[in-house]
């Protein structure tokens, strides 16, 4: 079986009462529940939400 790394992009539209965008993103990244499951021909080995980098924050 061959092993690959895929980057899946997800569009998320949110509303927030957080004071700023950085706080909202931090909360979303740390508290989001997600699952990308295996299929008959693809076995998912690991998933991870990558940290958002906001310059000058």
């Amino acid at each position: 079986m061959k092993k690959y790394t895929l980057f899946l992009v997800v569009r998320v539209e949110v509303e927030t009462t957080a004071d700023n965008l950085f706080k909202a993103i931090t909360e979303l990244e740390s508290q989001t529940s997600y699952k990308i499951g295996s299929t008959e021909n693809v076995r998912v080995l690991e998933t991870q939400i990558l940290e958002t980098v906001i310059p000058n924050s």
Side-chain angles (χ1 to χ4, degrees):
M1 193 176 280
K2 296 178 183 175
K3 188 174 177 180
Y4 300 95
T5 299
L6 305 176
F7 292 90
L8 304 177
V9 178
V10 177
R11 181 181 176 274
V12 180
E13 184 175 342
V14 299
E15 288 184 331
T16 181
T17 58
D19 296 339
N20 60 57
L21 181 60
F22 181 73
K23 285 183 181 179
I25 290 170
T26 301
E27 181 178 323
L28 188 64
E29 287 175 343
S30 67
Q31 296 184 32
T32 295
S33 175
Y34 65 97
K35 177 172 175 31
I36 299 173
S38 297
T39 67
E40 181 180 338
N41 296 309
V42 179
R43 184 169 49 125
V44 176
L45 303 175
E46 179 183 354
T47 60
Q48 166 188 16
I49 293 181
L50 302 177
E51 281 188 40
T52 301
V53 177
I54 302 174
N56 303 317
S57 61

